[in-house]
Amino acid sequence: MLSHLSLSILLLNLLLVSAQTYQRLGACPTLGCVFPPDQTDFLVGQLFDIRLEVHAPVNGTEATGNTTPNETFTLCIQKGKGNCVEAKKYFNLKSEPAVEKWNFTYYEDLFAKDEGKLTGVNVAAKAYRAPGKYQAKLSYNGGAKTVANWEVREPAKKRKAKNVLFFIGDGMTQPMITAARLIGHKSINGKYQTLMQLDQMEALGLQMTHSIDSFITDSANSATALYTGKKSTVNALNVWVDSSSDVFDDPKVETIAELFRRKTGGPVGIVSTAYIADATPAALCAHTRDRGQSASVVYEFLYNATSLDPRFDWPTSCKGPDVIFGGGAEQFIAGSGSHQGKDFYKEFQSQGYQVVYDNTQLKKVDTSKKTLGIFTTGNLAKWVDRNVLTENLKGQSNHPTGDKTDAVDQPGLKDMTLKAIDVLQARSKGKGWFMMSEAASIDKMMHALDYDRALGELLELDDTVRASIKHLEEIGELDDTLIVVTADHGHGFDVFGGADTKYLAAQTEDRKKRAAVGVYAESGLSGYQVAPGSSPTNQSVVFGAQGPNFPVQWNPRYAYAAGFGASPDRREDYIINEKGPRTPATKGSDGGYVANPSEHTVGYSVSGTLPTDQSQGVHSLQDVPVYAKGPGAEAFRGVFNSVDIFFKIADALALGKPSKRH
Amino acid sequence: MLSHLSLSILLLNLLLVSAQTYQRLGACPTLGCVFPPDQTDFLVGQLFDIRLEVHAPVNGTEATGNTTPNETFTLCIQKGKGNCVEAKKYFNLKSEPAVEKWNFTYYEDLFAKDEGKLTGVNVAAKAYRAPGKYQAKLSYNGGAKTVANWEVREPAKKRKAKNVLFFIGDGMTQPMITAARLIGHKSINGKYQTLMQLDQMEALGLQMTHSIDSFITDSANSATALYTGKKSTVNALNVWVDSSSDVFDDPKVETIAELFRRKTGGPVGIVSTAYIADATPAALCAHTRDRGQSASVVYEFLYNATSLDPRFDWPTSCKGPDVIFGGGAEQFIAGSGSHQGKDFYKEFQSQGYQVVYDNTQLKKVDTSKKTLGIFTTGNLAKWVDRNVLTENLKGQSNHPTGDKTDAVDQPGLKDMTLKAIDVLQARSKGKGWFMMSEAASIDKMMHALDYDRALGELLELDDTVRASIKHLEEIGELDDTLIVVTADHGHGFDVFGGADTKYLAAQTEDRKKRAAVGVYAESGLSGYQVAPGSSPTNQSVVFGAQGPNFPVQWNPRYAYAAGFGASPDRREDYIINEKGPRTPATKGSDGGYVANPSEHTVGYSVSGTLPTDQSQGVHSLQDVPVYAKGPGAEAFRGVFNSVDIFFKIADALALGKPSKRH
């Protein structure tokens, strides 16, 4: 599993290097920058920082001749139709914050990059800590103005939900859910005999996932939107990205987990099938523009950001979530991967945590205690490998203790989520709890073009939602729990037909192999709900060892044929990768990625559409689905922006209501 | 436009030739066939036929040695827990229907096809006309049984909606709507300043589009599901496909338009940007297993199916819809394309229709009269060509009168729909009306991989929904009108990034050209909402000549990059096809399709994933969105099957309620 962690980090580096170059600074198209930027919405009382910057480009198309940034810029804040009041007065500061100065360089476009022609920018900046609601006006360069409108939304007056169980299917789209239904559920004459749990939720919505400064998002940026109600930039966790080089000094904003802690004092849970410092779990507590700061992310689970940021104490934090379950032992084992090289298992234990390393231990935890469960290095094993192709668990040297044995007793999302409910319930003492549970490898396996494993993860998520509803009902909490299931972004996956895998393998020419794809009527019926050896039109339902709601077999002769428009070069045969997750592309002779020659060798070769420095599939634009059930669910109906999810959850918990706590 | 009609018909032929061969007969996996098949749901009083078949395979894997089909099969019908009553008695027939006999052949799989090894089947069959609700049990071959469960759904008791305006965006998916929003609407710092009309509807749902016997549908089959509440087979219009060779004798089922006519007597309207005999408009009135029977489809708009079916009089029909607006003059001009070579303009006039041929005439119609508007041969021109690249309207020789001049004065979907509302309103005399309005070329342009034109059609649909709401409000009918917008199936389209089209064109190597694609942060912001020449980060909104809700420019330097997994070989440069709709692939030296060498010549070459006999993109699996507004809209929330749309509309109109009319 370690290989996947490395790949993710590599991908991030590539992004930073090749940023499309009309973006001097993503959320600042003018030379005067205000963060939070225009169009930002806040929950009443939500904490945040302000950052101002004035840019003086030294060369390039925006250069004015004056290469010294104006340092006498001013900020005034206006409430409603009132006067615009000088920031120092408005915030009741003894003195103006000091002006900070730095410079940075960037490429203006791909031609400039090819020529190595950098554009330089000199910067003067200030920072404020500023709770409130305003119109902010930055005046700079003797007359230029940048205006940012910030809206503070009317808070809900009454708490509807005691508990919130927030599921994120990372990278999950409706086309994937449709495909998962096709392979996991039986249909007779066009009528499904069983349905996905997601199909049966009370409320259905769709959310827009785009970034503040690019229409395609990553998981850090999109998690920031979901948890804080603020759009940000690719790779950023709960900050707006300024142009300084420090990755911890960017202006911060408070997350739903921090707010929930501060306002209610209730317990918080974080569950993920990824390494626990990965973007989606990280974004509940961490504040940095660089999601790759894994050690600091784990630090911020336990302690606040004060010692990381050179400028301000950050006055809020997750204060040690009551449950943390996932992978990523690298950030806990003392060594190069952990914060200051410390043993973070011990750090957590010193803060009162019990620590567990496998599913057997997980089953026996003392639910009254804060619990840390780290079950592997890197990401957790995939559902398909844990349940069907179990040989793939061996030879990984991925035990979370770092003893180089194999983590063969890993829990699944369902095991972790149900146990987390029990711990949170035991620790909440009636205050209610908040949990985020992430099916991380829908995304990771879609990146790898390993559609079968991705759909296995999706079916596991669906099964976990189903089991959670049942468990909440059993413990009498269902009616008090708002359950929300959504994604953070998509991949352009869809099923376009069937494939006769036997015929495909039997042909020798690539163009003839393509004849094995059956479209329209020739797509036929799902072969995944038929017991191996029997006819695809056999109507008897035979479930596999994994129970209902999963395929009866994973390698039928008539498989689904799927793909997306954004791919590296690769080979396709529509057969499940039996030896573990797929690696579709490897480095070729020109230094770029080409189809992995040792994979899917009976398949046909397909050329890619992505830059050849991309080894995997990429995220896509499409709106992603939102499902909700329980008190407050009706608010999740219809089409809305990703940031609205934060406000809908905060409203269900009445987190905007003035409280006696802090 | 004629070329597109021809392409569609070619596509159909290919489908019939290469049917995936485990399907002896799609909806009949056993040797005894009952149509309607198991799992069929009916509205109370909805008319339908029954067809029974007993198959005796002569050779192949299902051969039993007995090549003579059993002719002494029997059918009994059981209501609830009652006795199973012999069909003759149940239907009160004087005698059993005569046994019919025929045979057919098919390939069992692709290997058999390559070897030319046909499997033969001898058939004995019977047909009944049978309204009611039942469990049907077919006994054959001295003991074998096929049981079909038919459910008659509880009808709504009260009519909620006076009028129904049913929009179909053919092939439209949520990823396409997201892309249309990106190019048609302005966003600032991640917040859209305007939204699609679809984003703002009262109710949001998702529907499953699969066929009865294949998981990918075509538009005939899916329209049948939407209009009758019955799943069927690819290419079928309102029939279940039996194995006989006659394309008009398959068992029929009554459509929403026929029911509305029969039960309420109110006026019906059909509007499409396709040729009017195309599947989606055809399926309101026609009954045939072959959507390619265009002449007969037009015949069935005006007359009932009696003279087409050798067996039964069909007792219901559309009785001449009050409005028919679209293309497809070929079926009206006397000649080889029209039914029995007759002049169908005259046929319609003889039934009291006024006929119009262009937008100028359309504006002046007498709204008190039945109106036929045929505006071109083939499909209507695309929104982009009618509004932006108008030179493309010339040199088409497509005038609907057949005079070989160009149809340069074609109306758009909005012109047709608003005028249709006026005619229906004038003719309804308070009874209420039903209209289907189709944006057909979302699908047609997605097939051609002409994403820009497809999104133009989608934005036109959205603009038409917006304008219809406004118009209905103005005439005082909005509160009485149920508006439903959905699709019939998808294409696996998604946007995966941006493309620097200037950089792409400037590179000479294919692999270097791919570097022009910008993913994640490099996708940047939409270039389509920026006036030509200004910066993509310019915040001032400048609308183009076409008004708001459309792109300001269609060929920005920084374009969106999109595609799907199911494609023929093609070239991609992400620049709009300026000379008219795209033709991505042409015949290559091996007889299969290869990338069109004369198209997008600055682009890079991408190999396809589809069989090389496919010249275009194909349909996909994903659930498609449903939007509703008005009385009855709440029923369209959540996830459901395509067939449920029929029942939800029928319920809003209370069509299942016993009425005094026939």
Side-chain angles (χ1 to χ4, degrees):
Chain A
M1 298 298 112
L2 189 56
S3 65
H4 287 95
L5 180 59
S6 312
L7 271 175
S8 302
I9 291 168
L10 180 66
L11 188 66
L12 296 178
N13 290 339
L14 288 174
L15 293 182
L16 293 172
V17 169
S18 61
Q20 199 167 67
T21 44
Y22 50 77
Q23 294 192 301
R24 175 176 27 79
L25 179 57
C28 178
T30 58
L31 295 179
C33 314
V34 177
F35 303 106
D38 189 24
Q39 305 293 316
T40 307
D41 291 5
F42 289 92
L43 192 74
V44 174
Q46 187 180 16
L47 299 173
F48 65 98
D49 297 333
I50 297 173
R51 167 71 90 181
L52 310 175
E53 296 187 16
V54 177
H55 289 191
V58 173
N59 56 332
T61 55
E62 291 183 302
T64 60
N66 183 359
T67 60
T68 309
N70 170 234
E71 294 179 25
T72 59
F73 57 85
T74 61
L75 175 71
C76 66
I77 308 283
Q78 180 176 329
K79 254 192 175 171
K81 295 194 170 174
N83 291 328
C84 201
V85 180
E86 194 199 349
K88 183 183 154 201
K89 187 172 167 195
Y90 193 99
F91 297 132
N92 206 11
L93 301 174
K94 286 176 197 151
S95 59
E96 273 286 318
V99 172
E100 302 168 73
K101 296 204 277 186
W102 61 76
N103 59 66
F104 67 94
T105 59
Y106 75 111
Y107 294 117
E108 289 207 337
D109 64 13
L110 289 164
F111 293 103
K113 187 183 162 203
D114 282 356
E115 293 164 23
K117 200 161 73 184
L118 283 163
T119 297
V121 183
N122 292 325
V123 181
K126 277 187 190 176
Y128 299 83
R129 155 108 345 114
K133 58 173 168 176
Y134 336 90
Q135 184 177 76
K137 290 184 188 171
L138 171 67
S139 303
Y140 63 103
N141 288 357
K145 275 191 170 48
T146 297
V147 177
N149 292 289
W150 304 333
E151 187 182 332
V152 178
R153 296 202 192 177
E154 193 62 36
K157 292 190 177 66
K158 195 162 170 281
R159 183 166 172 175
K160 290 179 186 165
K162 182 175 156 199
N163 315 308
V164 169
L165 177 47
F166 186 26
F167 287 102
I168 297 184
D170 202 302
M172 177 177 71
T173 64
Q174 192 57 40
M176 295 176 201
I177 294 168
T178 315
R181 191 193 299 125
L182 179 77
I183 71 169
H185 293 269
K186 181 86 183 168
S187 169
I188 297 178
N189 286 333
K191 193 189 276 188
Y192 275 98
Q193 306 297 297
T194 55
L195 289 171
M196 305 278 286
Q197 179 59 46
L198 297 184
D199 294 334
Q200 303 172 65
M201 300 291 274
E202 251 173 79
L204 168 71
L206 287 163
Q207 49 124 331
M208 310 173 196
T209 68
H210 54 271
S211 303
I212 201 167
D213 51 3
S214 65
F215 52 78
I216 307 292
T217 186
D218 81 317
S219 292
N221 178 21
S222 58
T224 297
L226 296 172
Y227 302 156
T228 72
K230 313 293 172 281
K231 296 272 185 183
S232 188
T233 296
V234 168
N235 295 336
L237 294 169
N238 307 312
V239 298
W240 293 279
V241 172
D242 65 21
S243 71
S244 80
S245 60
D246 191 310
V247 298
F248 292 109
D249 79 338
D250 304 68
K252 300 180 186 62
V253 61
E254 191 173 28
T255 74
I256 188 92
E258 291 172 315
L259 262 164
F260 183 78
R261 272 287 203 234
R262 187 163 64 84
K263 292 273 192 165
T264 76
V268 166
I270 304 179
V271 173
S272 176
T273 55
Y275 66 101
I276 203 68
D278 199 8
T280 309
L284 282 166
C285 304
H287 303 76
T288 169
R289 87 142 75 116
D290 175 13
R291 59 181 274 181
Q293 302 294 328
S294 298
S296 301
V297 162
V298 169
Y299 177 88
E300 265 200 83
F301 283 138
L302 206 48
Y303 308 109
N304 78 16
T306 296
S307 78
L308 300 172
D309 186 338
R311 212 181 45 215
F312 294 127
D313 288 355
W314 180 239
T316 180
S317 90
C318 273
K319 296 178 185 167
D322 300 70
V323 175
I324 300 181
F325 292 160
E330 294 89 336
Q331 277 75 56
F332 292 86
I333 299 165
S336 61
S338 70
H339 184 74
Q340 296 178 342
K342 289 182 185 166
D343 181 336
F344 260 73
Y345 291 127
K346 282 196 183 147
E347 290 280 327
F348 274 76
Q349 280 164 333
S350 75
Q351 300 294 324
Y353 280 80
Q354 62 186 324
V355 181
V356 292
Y357 301 106
D358 60 36
N359 199 22
T360 306
Q361 293 174 357
L362 177 68
K363 288 197 174 104
K364 298 180 198 155
V365 299
D366 176 351
T367 56
S368 71
K369 287 188 178 168
K370 282 193 175 191
T371 309
L372 172 71
I374 300 295
F375 304 106
T376 178
T377 57
N379 302 313
L380 265 67
K382 311 305 167 271
W383 185 93
V384 160
D385 297 312
R386 280 188 297 102
N387 291 280
V388 184
L389 301 167
T390 52
E391 281 299 305
N392 293 332
L393 299 178
K394 296 178 185 164
Q396 302 292 322
S397 303
N398 59 345
H399 198 274
T401 56
D403 68 3
K404 303 291 177 192
T405 62
D406 299 331
V408 290
D409 184 24
Q410 297 179 44
L413 187 69
K414 183 162 78 174
D415 305 305
M416 295 193 290
T417 304
L418 296 184
K419 187 56 75 180
I421 289 174
D422 289 340
V423 174
L424 295 175
Q425 184 61 23
R427 292 182 58 78
S428 72
K429 305 199 169 71
K431 284 180 197 154
W433 45 262
F434 175 91
M435 189 205 317
M436 190 290 296
S437 173
E438 185 203 18
S441 290
I442 299 171
D443 177 68
K444 293 178 197 305
M445 292 296 95
M446 280 290 165
H447 273 299
L449 314 186
D450 197 328
Y451 309 131
D452 291 317
R453 278 182 179 74
L455 297 182
E457 299 297 296
L458 201 165
L459 287 168
E460 182 185 39
L461 169 62
D462 193 64
D463 194 45
T464 302
V465 177
R466 187 183 296 107
S468 297
I469 290 171
K470 184 159 172 276
H471 188 59
L472 287 167
E473 191 159 34
E474 284 162 1
I475 64 173
E477 292 289 316
L478 184 61
D479 292 346
D480 291 327
T481 306
L482 170 63
I483 302 174
V484 179
V485 190
T486 189
D488 50 352
H489 61 78
H491 291 253
F493 168 90
D494 206 356
V495 172
F496 55 79
D500 182 342
T501 55
K502 183 177 170 187
Y503 186 82
L504 196 154
Q507 310 308 309
T508 52
E509 300 295 323
D510 270 17
R511 282 177 68 83
K512 185 69 179 163
K513 282 175 185 288
R514 284 162 59 181
V517 172
V519 296
Y520 305 104
E522 305 99 280
S523 63
L525 297 168
S526 173
Y528 296 81
Q529 283 293 314
V530 181
S534 51
S535 145
T537 49
N538 183 320
Q539 300 290 309
S540 66
V541 180
V542 183
F543 290 116
Q546 292 79 37
N549 309 318
F550 286 96
V552 174
Q553 64 172 323
W554 282 88
N555 52 355
R557 171 174 169 185
Y558 295 101
Y560 67 84
F564 39 73
S567 298
D569 296 352
R570 78 272 183 204
R571 301 183 68 80
E572 295 288 4
D573 63 11
Y574 308 109
I575 298 170
I576 190 168
N577 221 47
E578 295 208 357
K579 303 226 164 143
R582 199 175 164 188
T583 304
T586 50
K587 284 264 178 159
S589 58
D590 68 354
Y593 283 91
V594 297
N596 183 346
S598 64
E599 200 193 70
H600 294 281
T601 50
V602 303
Y604 55 91
S605 176
V606 192
S607 56
T609 48
L610 290 176
T612 58
D613 60 2
Q614 299 288 325
S615 63
Q616 298 201 317
V618 297
H619 299 174
S620 73
L621 181 68
Q622 68 183 279
D623 295 348
V624 295
V626 188
Y627 302 92
K629 176 180 170 65
E634 66 287 349
F636 292 84
R637 288 192 170 125
V639 183
F640 41 83
N641 204 340
S642 56
V643 295
D644 294 318
I645 303 257
F646 164 80
F647 291 98
K648 291 173 195 296
I649 294 177
D651 275 356
L653 292 166
L655 294 181
K657 204 180 64 167
S659 80
K660 280 166 199 161
R661 295 183 62 88
H662 182 84
Chain B
M1 296 299 111
L2 189 54
S3 62
H4 287 94
L5 180 58
S6 312
L7 271 173
S8 301
I9 291 169
L10 180 65
L11 189 65
L12 296 178
N13 290 339
L14 288 173
L15 293 183
L16 293 173
V17 170
S18 60
Q20 200 166 70
T21 44
Y22 50 78
Q23 294 192 301
R24 174 175 29 78
L25 179 58
C28 178
T30 58
L31 295 179
C33 313
V34 177
F35 304 105
D38 189 26
Q39 304 293 316
T40 307
D41 291 6
F42 289 92
L43 192 75
V44 174
Q46 186 180 15
L47 299 173
F48 64 97
D49 297 335
I50 296 173
R51 165 71 90 182
L52 310 174
E53 295 188 16
V54 177
H55 289 191
V58 174
N59 57 331
T61 56
E62 291 182 302
T64 60
N66 182 358
T67 60
T68 308
N70 170 234
E71 293 179 27
T72 58
F73 57 85
T74 59
L75 175 71
C76 66
I77 308 283
Q78 180 177 329
K79 254 192 176 171
K81 296 196 171 174
N83 292 328
C84 202
V85 179
E86 192 199 349
K88 183 183 153 201
K89 187 174 165 193
Y90 194 97
F91 297 131
N92 205 10
L93 301 174
K94 285 177 199 148
S95 59
E96 273 285 320
V99 172
E100 302 167 75
K101 297 205 275 186
W102 61 75
N103 60 67
F104 68 94
T105 61
Y106 75 111
Y107 294 117
E108 287 207 338
D109 65 13
L110 289 164
F111 293 104
K113 188 183 162 200
D114 282 356
E115 294 164 23
K117 201 161 71 187
L118 284 164
T119 297
V121 183
N122 292 325
V123 182
K126 278 187 192 178
Y128 300 83
R129 155 107 346 113
K133 59 175 169 177
Y134 336 90
Q135 184 177 75
K137 290 184 187 169
L138 171 67
S139 303
Y140 62 103
N141 289 355
K145 276 192 170 45
T146 297
V147 176
N149 292 290
W150 304 332
E151 188 182 332
V152 177
R153 297 202 192 176
E154 193 64 33
K157 292 193 177 64
K158 195 162 169 278
R159 183 166 173 174
K160 291 180 186 165
K162 182 175 156 198
N163 315 308
V164 169
L165 178 47
F166 186 27
F167 287 102
I168 297 183
D170 201 302
M172 177 176 73
T173 64
Q174 192 58 39
M176 295 176 201
I177 294 169
T178 315
R181 190 192 300 124
L182 179 77
I183 70 170
H185 294 268
K186 180 86 183 170
S187 169
I188 297 178
N189 287 331
K191 193 188 275 187
Y192 274 99
Q193 306 297 297
T194 54
L195 289 170
M196 304 280 284
Q197 179 59 45
L198 297 184
D199 293 335
Q200 303 173 65
M201 300 291 274
E202 251 173 79
L204 168 71
L206 286 164
Q207 48 124 332
M208 311 173 195
T209 68
H210 55 271
S211 303
I212 200 167
D213 51 3
S214 65
F215 52 78
I216 307 292
T217 186
D218 81 317
S219 293
N221 177 22
S222 59
T224 296
L226 296 172
Y227 301 156
T228 72
K230 312 293 172 280
K231 297 272 186 184
S232 188
T233 296
V234 168
N235 295 336
L237 295 168
N238 307 314
V239 299
W240 293 279
V241 172
D242 65 21
S243 71
S244 79
S245 60
D246 191 310
V247 299
F248 292 109
D249 78 339
D250 303 70
K252 301 179 185 65
V253 59
E254 191 173 28
T255 75
I256 187 91
E258 290 171 316
L259 262 164
F260 183 78
R261 272 288 203 235
R262 187 164 62 85
K263 293 273 193 166
T264 76
V268 166
I270 304 178
V271 172
S272 176
T273 55
Y275 67 100
I276 202 69
D278 200 7
T280 310
L284 282 166
C285 304
H287 302 77
T288 169
R289 88 143 74 118
D290 176 13
R291 59 182 275 180
Q293 302 295 328
S294 299
S296 300
V297 162
V298 168
Y299 176 87
E300 265 199 84
F301 283 139
L302 207 49
Y303 308 110
N304 78 17
T306 295
S307 78
L308 301 171
D309 186 337
R311 212 180 43 215
F312 293 128
D313 286 357
W314 180 239
T316 179
S317 90
C318 274
K319 296 178 185 166
D322 301 70
V323 175
I324 300 181
F325 292 160
E330 293 89 335
Q331 277 76 56
F332 292 86
I333 299 165
S336 61
S338 70
H339 183 74
Q340 297 177 342
K342 289 180 185 166
D343 181 337
F344 260 74
Y345 291 129
K346 281 194 186 151
E347 290 281 326
F348 274 75
Q349 281 164 331
S350 75
Q351 300 293 324
Y353 280 79
Q354 62 185 323
V355 181
V356 292
Y357 301 106
D358 61 36
N359 198 23
T360 306
Q361 292 173 359
L362 177 66
K363 288 196 175 101
K364 296 180 200 155
V365 298
D366 176 352
T367 55
S368 71
K369 287 188 178 169
K370 282 193 174 189
T371 310
L372 173 71
I374 300 296
F375 304 107
T376 179
T377 57
N379 302 312
L380 265 66
K382 311 305 169 271
W383 185 93
V384 160
D385 297 312
R386 281 188 296 103
N387 291 279
V388 184
L389 301 166
T390 51
E391 281 299 305
N392 293 332
L393 300 178
K394 296 177 186 166
Q396 302 292 323
S397 304
N398 58 346
H399 198 275
T401 56
D403 67 3
K404 303 293 178 192
T405 62
D406 299 331
V408 291
D409 184 23
Q410 297 179 42
L413 188 69
K414 183 162 77 173
D415 305 305
M416 293 192 291
T417 304
L418 296 183
K419 186 56 75 180
I421 289 174
D422 288 340
V423 173
L424 294 175
Q425 184 62 22
R427 291 182 57 78
S428 72
K429 304 199 170 73
K431 285 180 196 156
W433 44 262
F434 175 91
M435 189 202 319
M436 191 287 297
S437 173
E438 184 203 17
S441 290
I442 299 170
D443 176 68
K444 292 177 197 305
M445 292 297 94
M446 280 291 164
H447 274 297
L449 313 186
D450 196 330
Y451 309 130
D452 291 316
R453 277 182 179 73
L455 297 182
E457 299 298 295
L458 201 164
L459 287 167
E460 182 186 40
L461 169 62
D462 192 65
D463 194 45
T464 302
V465 177
R466 187 184 293 107
S468 297
I469 290 171
K470 184 159 172 276
H471 188 59
L472 287 167
E473 190 158 36
E474 284 163 0
I475 64 171
E477 293 288 316
L478 185 60
D479 292 345
D480 291 327
T481 305
L482 170 64
I483 302 174
V484 179
V485 190
T486 189
D488 50 352
H489 61 78
H491 293 252
F493 168 91
D494 205 356
V495 172
F496 54 80
D500 182 342
T501 55
K502 183 178 170 184
Y503 186 82
L504 196 155
Q507 311 308 310
T508 52
E509 300 295 323
D510 270 17
R511 281 176 69 84
K512 186 69 179 160
K513 283 176 184 286
R514 284 161 57 180
V517 171
V519 296
Y520 305 105
E522 306 99 279
S523 62
L525 298 167
S526 172
Y528 297 81
Q529 284 293 313
V530 181
S534 51
S535 145
T537 48
N538 182 319
Q539 299 290 308
S540 66
V541 180
V542 183
F543 290 116
Q546 293 79 37
N549 310 318
F550 286 95
V552 175
Q553 63 171 322
W554 282 89
N555 53 356
R557 172 173 168 185
Y558 295 103
Y560 67 84
F564 39 73
S567 299
D569 297 351
R570 77 276 182 200
R571 301 183 68 79
E572 295 288 3
D573 63 10
Y574 309 108
I575 299 170
I576 189 169
N577 222 47
E578 295 209 356
K579 301 224 164 145
R582 200 174 164 188
T583 304
T586 49
K587 283 266 175 153
S589 57
D590 68 354
Y593 283 91
V594 297
N596 182 346
S598 63
E599 202 195 68
H600 296 279
T601 49
V602 304
Y604 55 91
S605 177
V606 192
S607 56
T609 49
L610 290 178
T612 58
D613 61 1
Q614 299 288 326
S615 63
Q616 298 201 316
V618 296
H619 298 176
S620 72
L621 182 67
Q622 68 182 280
D623 295 347
V624 294
V626 187
Y627 302 93
K629 177 181 169 66
E634 66 287 349
F636 293 84
R637 287 190 170 125
V639 184
F640 43 83
N641 205 341
S642 57
V643 295
D644 294 317
I645 302 258
F646 163 81
F647 291 97
K648 291 173 195 295
I649 293 177
D651 275 356
L653 292 167
L655 294 182
K657 203 180 66 168
S659 80
K660 283 168 197 159
R661 294 185 61 88
H662 177 80

